[in-house]
Amino acid sequence: MKSLISRIVVISALTATSSAGIFSTSLEVQAGSPQQIVQNRTTQKTWNNNELAMMTVKEAWQKSGKNYDSFVRMVQQLVALSVEKRGYQLRPSQEAGRELGQMIRKQAENDPEQLLYAVVDSSVREYAKKHKL
């Protein structure tokens, strides 16, 4: 589990739009609602926000099929949801993506039994406060 979570640090890009932001392991930029972003990848598993919000870090890893890319998409969807619900706009930079990814990784490592959304939302709030968004 620690090796998976520590790989979140490689998340390399973060973008913000008026509707939602999402960070990605590639430089591909996506915009839209949290559900639209994930559903645009039709060949990949999608989750509804309620389903994701109720999973612990450990459960999300299991539901992802223990697949790093799938797990990152779950985290991306939750980041987009948190940003949207809180009305934040995250700066679009690789540095921002890495910093937020490190915050998420650190919290998830500390307690894999906590809800993944709680980890993500807390990290988004901490990031926003630190950067006065």
Side-chain angles (χ1 to χ4, degrees):
M1 185 69 174
K2 278 193 177 201
S3 66
L4 160 76
I5 295 169
S6 63
R7 289 174 58 192
I8 291 175
V9 152
V10 301
I11 296 169
S12 63
L14 181 65
T15 187
T17 66
S18 59
S19 60
I22 187 163
F23 56 90
S24 176
T25 53
S26 70
L27 294 178
E28 176 185 353
V29 174
Q30 298 180 18
S33 74
Q35 280 301 108
Q36 290 169 327
I37 291 165
V38 174
Q39 288 174 348
N40 286 342
R41 298 178 176 199
T42 55
T43 60
Q44 299 164 348
K45 168 78 172 127
T46 61
W47 302 271
N48 69 49
N49 289 332
N50 292 335
E51 179 183 23
L52 271 179
M54 298 309 295
M55 290 182 202
T56 65
V57 173
K58 195 178 209 178
E59 289 169 339
W61 175 239
Q62 296 287 329
K63 292 272 188 177
S64 75
K66 296 185 178 182
N67 178 280
Y68 174 72
D69 292 331
S70 183
F71 184 80
V72 168
R73 284 192 304 278
M74 292 172 144
V75 172
Q76 290 171 335
Q77 183 175 339
L78 292 174
V79 167
L81 177 64
S82 178
V83 166
E84 178 181 44
K85 292 292 184 183
R86 295 195 175 275
Y88 294 142
Q89 289 194 334
L90 303 175
R91 58 193 170 102
S93 72
Q94 290 181 351
E95 180 186 331
R98 276 191 294 275
E99 187 176 346
L100 185 56
Q102 287 172 345
M103 290 176 171
I104 292 168
R105 176 190 51 85
K106 205 178 285 187
Q107 284 193 42
E109 279 180 345
N110 287 337
D111 183 4
E113 299 299 327
Q114 67 181 318
L115 295 177
L116 181 58
Y117 183 70
V119 170
V120 170
D121 188 55
S122 174
S123 297
V124 167
R125 285 182 295 142
E126 181 181 337
Y127 181 87
K129 182 178 179 182
K130 182 177 179 181
H131 295 282
K132 298 179 176 129
L133 300 179

